[in-house]
Amino acid sequence: MKILHTSDWHVGKVLKGQSRAEEHKAVLAGVIDIARAEQPDLVIVAGDLYDTAAPTSEATRLVTRALTALRRTDADVVAIGGNHDNGPALDALRPWAEAAGITLRGGVRENPDEHVIDGVTASGERWQLAALPFLSQRYAVRALEMYELTAAEANQTYADHLGRVLGRLTEGFTEPDRVHLVTAHLTVTGATTGGGERDAHTVLGYAVPATVFPATAHYVALGHLHRAQRVIGPCPVRYSGSPLAVDFGEQENVPSVTLVEVTASTAARVREVPVTAASALRTVRGTLAQLAEIEAPDAWLRVYVREQPRAGLREEVQELLPRALEIRIDPELLAAPGTGARIAQRSGRSPRELFADYLDSRGHADEGVRELFDELFEEVDH
C-alpha cells in the first residue's frame, strides 16, 4: 500500500499581521496535486489542521475542502486533532466527515476501539491504523481512566500515560498479514523541533521516548514537530513536517509531505516530496546602507538592523524592503560590549533619569524620544 503522510497545516496562520490564507490555498492545492499524481491508498493528516482553536469560517472551509479533495483521489483519509486544534469542534464535524468518507478524530473517545481504524486497499492489502489525537497531561490521565487500565497515579509521567494508551490501541498489532500503522500528535525524545512549535507542548515534560511505539508497527506517522525527519525507534517513526514554514524559526526547513510504500511482509520505503507553493521566510541583516544594496529575495523577511534605535527607523526599513514583516535591532549589536554597561539604580532616581538610563543602555540616542517621554510624563503627573 501507499501512504501520503502530512501534518501541521496550521490553516488560519497570521504571521506578524500578515495573513497566509492565499499561501495555504496554494500549499494545500499542491498537496492535493501530489495525491492525484501518486494515487495513495491512505492519506494521514497527523494533527494541527488549524493554527487556532477558534478557526475562522474561511479556514474551516479551506480545511474541509482540502480533505474532501484528498478523498476524491480515491484514498482513504484519516485526520486527527493536534494541540492547536479544538478537539470537540473537530469531532462536531464527524457527521459531515463520515458522509464524505473521511475519518476524523478530534479528541480521545470513551471507546478506545473508535481510535482503531481498519481498511483494505484496492489491491487487497489489509491495514489497521491506531489514531491518537493530541493529549494534554490532564486528558492523558482521563484517557487511562476511561479505558479501565491500571489506576493513574499522580507520580506517573506523561510518557507513562501515553505509553499505556498506545499500548491499548495497538494491542491488536499481531496479525502477520496486515499492515499496522500508528498516527499521533506528540513530541518524541531526541527529535528536532522545527522552530515554530508552541513551546508549552514541546518541553521535556511532554516528550515521550520512541519505545512507546510497538515493534510490530510498520510505520508511525507523527505530527507536531515542523521539521521533516526520521526518529530512531523500534519501528519506522517519522515526522512529515509542515508543508509551509509557519514562523521565521523554520526558514531552514524544507516543506514537504512524506510518501510511504509498505506491505505486511516488507519494510516501509519512505521518500519526501517537496511542497514549494508558499513564500519562503528569510532573515537579512545590515545597516540601512547595506540593506539598500541587497537584492530583496522573493520571501517574507525578518530584518535585523545594524543601527542604533531611533524614531522612524522601522519606516525607513519598510520603505527599502516592503516584504519585511519583522524589523528589529540586530541582537548582536545590542549584545556588543558597553551597550548594556549602565544599569539604572532605582533608589532616589526620577522617572526621567531612569528612562534616560534605559535608553542609554539600549544604545538609543534619539533626543526626540526623550522629549516625548518628558511631555507625556508631565501630562500624566499633572
Side-chain angles (χ1 to χ4, degrees):
M1 67 180 298
K2 184 184 286 189
I3 304 159
L4 189 156
H5 167 202
T6 180
S7 72
D8 296 277
W9 291 355
H10 287 272
V11 174
K13 175 69 178 180
V14 176
L15 178 61
K16 312 298 179 184
Q18 173 64 47
S19 170
R20 310 291 298 281
E22 291 305 315
E23 292 176 80
H24 265 116
K25 290 177 185 177
V27 163
L28 293 181
V31 173
I32 294 162
D33 286 343
I34 292 170
R36 287 172 178 155
E38 295 286 348
Q39 289 294 295
D41 300 290
L42 172 64
V43 174
I44 297 174
V45 187
D48 279 357
L49 288 81
Y50 299 105
D51 190 62
T52 173
T56 64
S57 57
E58 180 187 23
T60 301
R61 185 163 51 248
L62 182 53
V63 166
T64 53
R65 286 179 175 177
L67 293 175
T68 300
L70 289 168
R71 179 69 183 105
R72 286 176 178 165
T73 66
D74 291 330
D76 286 304
V77 177
V78 178
I80 62 173
N83 61 303
H84 281 250
D85 297 316
N86 183 326
L90 279 181
D91 282 328
L93 292 174
R94 282 183 61 174
W96 160 82
E98 289 168 4
I102 296 162
T103 302
L104 194 58
R105 296 293 180 266
V108 173
R109 312 293 288 184
E110 291 188 8
N111 180 2
D113 293 338
E114 287 196 50
H115 295 277
V116 182
I117 299 125
D118 295 304
V120 183
T121 69
S123 61
E125 187 79 65
R126 297 170 61 235
W127 55 268
Q128 186 174 79
L129 171 66
L132 181 64
F134 174 76
L135 274 176
S136 67
Q137 291 178 329
R138 178 178 55 160
Y139 281 96
V141 175
R142 182 170 177 267
L144 288 175
E145 294 169 343
M146 285 194 307
Y147 294 173
E148 298 181 349
L149 302 176
T150 307
E153 298 175 357
N155 63 349
Q156 285 183 308
T157 67
Y158 180 75
D160 292 332
H161 299 324
L162 263 290
R164 292 163 66 202
V165 170
L166 281 165
R168 171 63 179 84
L169 298 183
T170 61
E171 62 186 13
F173 281 17
T174 56
E175 296 184 36
D177 61 344
R178 185 164 58 181
V179 176
H180 301 125
L181 306 166
V182 177
T183 184
H185 194 88
L186 46 74
T187 302
V188 175
T189 305
T192 304
T193 59
E197 300 87 354
R198 183 173 290 170
D199 290 342
H201 295 141
T202 54
V203 294
L204 188 59
Y206 266 99
V208 302
T211 51
V212 297
F213 305 115
T216 50
H218 290 81
Y219 182 74
V220 176
L222 296 181
H224 189 35
L225 302 188
H226 294 179
R227 180 173 296 177
Q229 61 191 291
R230 172 176 173 261
V231 180
I232 302 298
C235 56
V237 180
R238 187 170 181 85
Y239 288 96
S240 68
S242 176
L244 82 169
V246 173
D247 209 339
F248 283 105
E250 303 179 17
Q251 60 184 6
E252 301 304 324
N253 297 353
V254 178
S256 64
V257 298
T258 298
L259 284 167
V260 184
E261 294 183 64
V262 63
T263 72
S265 58
T266 59
R269 292 181 296 157
V270 176
R271 57 191 169 96
E272 292 179 24
V273 180
V275 180
T276 59
S279 293
L281 304 182
R282 295 287 180 264
T283 298
V284 296
R285 61 200 332 142
T287 63
L288 275 179
Q290 291 169 332
L291 294 174
E293 294 298 322
I294 69 170
E295 184 176 343
D298 184 19
W300 298 120
L301 301 178
R302 174 173 61 183
V303 183
Y304 287 147
V305 190
R306 299 190 64 84
E307 301 269 356
Q308 295 300 327
R310 66 173 185 275
L313 181 58
R314 172 180 293 275
E315 288 73 16
E316 292 178 61
V317 174
Q318 196 81 57
E319 187 174 347
L320 291 173
L321 300 169
R323 299 203 74 189
L325 297 183
E326 181 178 342
I327 301 170
R328 300 171 55 190
I329 301 301
D330 194 329
E332 294 178 4
L333 184 66
L334 292 176
T339 58
R342 297 187 63 190
I343 302 175
Q345 300 296 320
R346 291 181 179 271
S347 179
R349 310 293 300 284
S350 71
R352 290 185 179 88
E353 290 173 321
L354 291 172
F355 187 66
D357 274 354
Y358 169 76
L359 292 178
D360 289 343
S361 74
R362 306 300 290 180
H364 202 306
D366 192 335
E367 286 298 326
V369 174
R370 298 171 194 247
E371 292 171 4
L372 179 59
F373 177 84
D374 288 344
E375 290 177 16
L376 292 173
F377 182 74
E378 187 77 22
E379 183 177 327
V380 172
D381 195 41
H382 293 83

